[in-house]
Amino acid sequence: MDCTKCDREAVMHAAYSGTYLCEAHLFESVERRVRHRVREDDMLPADATPEDPETWVIGLSGGKDSVVLTDIIHETFEEDPRVELVALTIHEGIEGYRDASLDACEELADDRDIPHEVVTYSEEFDVQMDDVAEDDPLDMAPCAYCGVFRRDALARYAEELDADKLLTGHNLDDEAETALMNIFEGNVEQVAKHFDASLGPFDERREKEDMIPRAKPLRDVPEKEVALYAQLRELPVHMAECPHSSEAFRGEIQDLLLSLEEDHPGTRHSIMAGYEELASLAADEYGGDEDEQPVGSCEECGAPTARDRCRKCALLDAVNAV
Ligand code: SF4
Ligand code: ZN
C-alpha cells in the first residue's frame, strides 16, 4: 500500500484517520503532534527569555515513550535558548532491568548532549524495589509502592533542578487507560486529581497544587506509532518489561481498549476528548479553594500532604519494619 501523502511505500496504517504513512510521513506526523501539543498546552510561556529560560526536566526511563519524547523535544528546542532540558532517570533497584535501560538513557543523553541526572531508590530511600517486591509488607502490588516512591523522587529532583515543568512520556494509550480506570472505579475525586496533576492550564496548576506541573506532550500519539517511530529512527530503547509489573486491572483495560479500537477506530481519541472535559468539571467541583483543603507538609520529609505524614513516608515505615 502506498503512503496517503506521497507515493512511497506505507509502513503503517492509522485506522482512526484512514491514512497510510511512509516512514518519512510517520516521522513528520508524530513530531507534528508533539509540537502541536506543546503549543496547544501553552507549554512555553510568553515571558520565557534567553536570560530567564524555562527549565524542563524530562523523566527518562529508557523505554520507547520517554526516549521518543526526549528526542523530539530536544530536536525541537535545540536551537531555542528559551528552553533548557535536563533528563532525569529514576533507578528503582530492579536487577537486570533498570541497569539495561539506564544504558539506553545514557546513550541518548550523551549523544544529544543533554544533561542527565540519575536518582536511585537506594540512595534516596535506602530501599531496592527487588526487596520491597519480595517482602511486600502491606500485601500490595509492587507498583503501588514503586509509583509512590517514583512520584516523590521525580517531584523532589524536579524541584531541586529548579524545573518549571516536569515532562513525562505518557502516550495516548496510557492516558486513555488511566481515564477509563478512573471512570470504571467510579472515583470522581481521582478524575479531578488527574486533571490537576497533568491536564489543566499550567499556571493554574502551579498555584493550586503548589508543585511543579507535569506536561505530557506525547499524549496524542498512540503507543504503536511511538514504538514504530523509535524503531525506524533506531533510537536507543530498552524494550524489556519490568519483572514486577503487576497492574492487573490496567492489563484488562488495555485489552478492552485494543479490541474497542479495532472495532471502532478513534475510540481512544474520543475517550480523551470527553474525559478532559469531564475531568475539568470534576476539578472545579473537587478542587475547592485553599481554605477548604489545607495542604500541609509531611512532618518527616516535608513533602506536601494533607495528612501528618506523607504516603511515601508511611510506605517506607512499613518496608523498614520488615
Ligand atoms: Fe515500578 Fe511497577 Fe514500573 Fe516495575 S512496573 S518499575 S515495579 S512501577
Ligand atoms: Zn514524607
Side-chain angles (χ1 to χ4, degrees):
M1 190 62 84
D2 283 348
C3 174
T4 310
K5 301 186 181 225
C6 70
D7 53 13
R8 280 177 294 228
E9 197 185 334
V11 293
M12 66 154 287
H13 173 223
Y16 59 85
S17 60
T19 48
Y20 290 84
L21 296 176
C22 68
E23 182 175 300
H25 280 110
L26 166 70
F27 292 165
E28 187 196 271
S29 156
V30 170
E31 289 156 13
R32 184 171 29 78
R33 276 174 283 172
V34 172
R35 289 170 190 148
H36 176 257
R37 183 43 80 186
V38 168
R39 277 195 310 277
E40 187 83 349
D41 286 356
D42 283 329
M43 271 182 67
L44 186 57
D47 60 3
T49 59
E51 294 72 38
D52 184 18
E54 279 259 304
T55 300
W56 291 354
V57 171
I58 306 188
L60 177 62
S61 70
K64 63 182 185 330
D65 303 300
S66 64
V67 165
V68 167
L69 176 67
T70 304
D71 194 43
I72 296 178
I73 293 287
H74 166 73
E75 178 85 27
T76 307
F77 291 99
E78 194 178 5
E79 308 286 334
D80 191 333
R82 295 171 303 164
V83 175
E84 278 176 3
L85 294 183
V86 182
L88 176 61
T89 302
I90 308 286
H91 194 308
E92 300 91 346
I94 301 169
E95 237 201 276
Y97 167 69
R98 194 50 85 202
D99 297 324
S101 59
L102 189 55
D103 291 345
C105 299
E106 275 165 358
E107 189 183 333
L108 184 78
D110 279 358
D111 194 64
R112 310 296 194 272
D113 229 355
I114 303 170
H116 182 213
E117 303 279 334
V118 181
V119 178
T120 66
Y121 283 5
S122 96
E123 277 171 37
E124 263 326 281
F125 310 125
D126 201 18
V127 298
Q128 306 259 12
M129 264 319 290
D130 283 337
D131 299 332
V132 174
E134 190 176 321
D135 297 337
D136 190 9
L138 298 175
D139 203 15
M140 314 191 292
C143 301
Y145 302 89
C146 192
V148 173
F149 297 156
R150 176 178 307 104
R151 264 194 301 282
D152 182 88
L154 278 174
R156 191 128 35 111
Y157 273 81
E159 196 79 57
E160 205 155 289
L161 294 164
D162 227 357
D164 294 292
K165 297 191 174 68
L166 176 57
L167 282 60
T168 57
H170 294 84
N171 60 45
L172 178 63
D173 296 55
D174 298 327
E175 287 295 279
E177 283 159 22
T178 303
L180 279 192
M181 283 165 74
N182 287 341
I183 287 175
F184 286 174
E185 282 165 352
N187 193 340
V188 184
E189 208 171 334
Q190 191 59 35
V191 173
K193 267 194 194 156
H194 185 208
F195 185 82
D196 282 337
S198 58
L199 297 173
F202 290 110
D203 43 347
E204 285 175 24
R205 280 198 262 146
R206 173 104 220 189
E207 270 177 31
K208 201 158 152 188
E209 296 279 288
D210 190 27
M211 60 186 243
I212 292 164
R214 307 280 190 273
K216 299 174 177 174
L218 205 56
R219 70 188 154 103
D220 297 319
V221 187
E223 171 155 29
K224 231 174 82 186
E225 290 169 49
V226 178
L228 193 57
Y229 184 97
Q231 184 197 336
L232 295 174
R233 278 253 188 245
E234 298 182 11
L235 296 176
V237 164
H238 180 242
M239 290 302 257
E241 199 184 334
C242 168
H244 306 307
S245 154
S246 53
E247 285 194 290
F249 186 43
R250 185 174 284 272
E252 283 176 48
I253 297 285
Q254 219 164 36
D255 294 343
L256 174 69
L257 256 185
L258 284 178
S259 82
L260 278 174
E261 186 68 39
E262 205 169 301
D263 296 341
H264 313 277
T267 297
R268 289 164 302 185
H269 291 86
S270 51
I271 288 174
M272 283 320 292
Y275 178 78
E276 282 193 27
E277 231 176 290
L278 210 70
S280 153
L281 294 174
D284 284 346
E285 182 68 19
Y286 277 82
D289 55 36
E290 279 124 45
D291 301 342
E292 283 170 37
Q293 287 196 335
V295 173
S297 41
C298 170
E299 58 189 24
E300 182 88 24
C301 74
T305 176
R307 289 166 286 199
D308 293 343
R309 317 187 71 216
C310 72
R311 177 90 179 128
K312 174 213 60 188
C313 286
L315 290 185
L316 282 177
D317 282 349
V319 167
N320 289 326
V322 176

